[in-house]
């Protein structure tokens, strides 16, 4: 498994993510944003972070543009979590998508959010050949989520 991680900078942590999370907690989705809550794999405490929820062919996905970050490790351990939008809380289970099956999900994710996250995909974009998307697939965890409620 890849260990690829791109840590967020000060502006992202202290300004951008806080603004998106604040708006999402008040019920304003910014291009599909949700606040992901997942139990910490060591502490058992709820951990939250803003994410983009992708719907593709009737299925829902969470993609980690920055790589194998803390929420992805926690998701693997917990097997699910909650997505918050305002007062609405959707509980879900999660299954990690294999690298060979990520290409259409990564392409759709980049079509929708390239302006926001494209820098984390090393020059690969929504119009890139399948081989390029497959090459970067190990660096970007993808989870298919299934609503529990």
């Amino acid at each position: 498994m890849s260990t690829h991680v791109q840590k967020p900078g000060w502006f992202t942590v202290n300004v951008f993510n806080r603004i998106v999370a604040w708006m999402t907690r008040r019920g304003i989705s910014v291009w599909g944003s949700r606040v992901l809550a997942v139990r910490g794999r060591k502490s058992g405490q709820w951990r939250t972070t803003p994410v983009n929820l992708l719907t593709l062919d009737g299925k829902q996905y969470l993609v980690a543009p920055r790589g194998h970050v803390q929420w992805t490790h926690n998701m693997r351990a917990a097997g699910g979590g909650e997505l918050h939008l305002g007062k609405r809380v959707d509980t879900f289970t999660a299954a990690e998508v294999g690298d060979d099956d990520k290409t259409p999900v990564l392409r759709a994710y980049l079509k929708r959010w390239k302006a926001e996250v494209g820098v984390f995909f090393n020059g690969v974009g929504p119009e890139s050949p399948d081989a390029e998307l497959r090459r970067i697939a190990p660096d970007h965890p993808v989870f298919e989520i299934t609503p529990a409620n």
Side-chain angles (χ1 to χ4, degrees):
M1 176 183 355
S2 170
T3 58
H4 174 79
V5 173
Q6 289 185 343
K7 295 196 182 248
W10 182 91
F11 181 81
T12 299
V13 171
N14 294 294
V15 179
F16 185 76
N17 280 356
R18 288 183 182 184
I19 290 170
V20 171
W22 183 86
M23 292 174 65
T24 304
R25 281 192 299 271
R26 278 144 188 84
I28 303 166
S29 177
V30 181
W31 281 55
S33 67
R34 301 290 188 278
V35 173
L36 169 66
V38 63
R39 293 236 183 232
R41 64 194 179 283
K42 296 175 185 173
S43 70
Q45 299 296 312
W46 286 103
R47 305 294 183 198
T48 60
T49 190
V51 294
N52 293 320
L53 178 63
L54 173 69
T55 300
L56 177 65
D57 298 330
K59 296 179 180 179
Q60 294 182 317
Y61 299 93
L62 295 177
V63 176
R66 292 181 178 274
H68 298 269
V69 294
Q70 293 301 315
W71 75 258
T72 64
H73 298 297
N74 291 337
M75 184 73 73
R76 287 183 190 109
E82 298 175 344
L83 289 173
H84 297 248
L85 179 60
K87 293 181 181 182
R88 181 180 173 156
V89 177
D90 295 315
T91 305
F92 66 89
T93 58
E96 193 159 6
V97 176
D99 292 340
D100 291 334
D101 299 321
K102 290 179 185 176
T103 299
V105 178
L106 292 173
R107 186 178 307 285
Y109 189 83
L110 285 165
K111 277 184 183 175
R112 176 129 178 145
W113 290 289
K114 183 180 180 195
E116 180 183 336
V117 300
V119 67
F120 307 120
F121 289 86
N122 298 320
V124 176
E127 305 306 322
S128 295
D130 286 354
E132 284 297 295
L133 288 160
R134 175 58 183 91
R135 180 183 60 79
I136 66 161
D139 293 338
H140 301 282
V142 174
F143 295 89
E144 181 180 341
I145 65 168
T146 304
N149 49 352

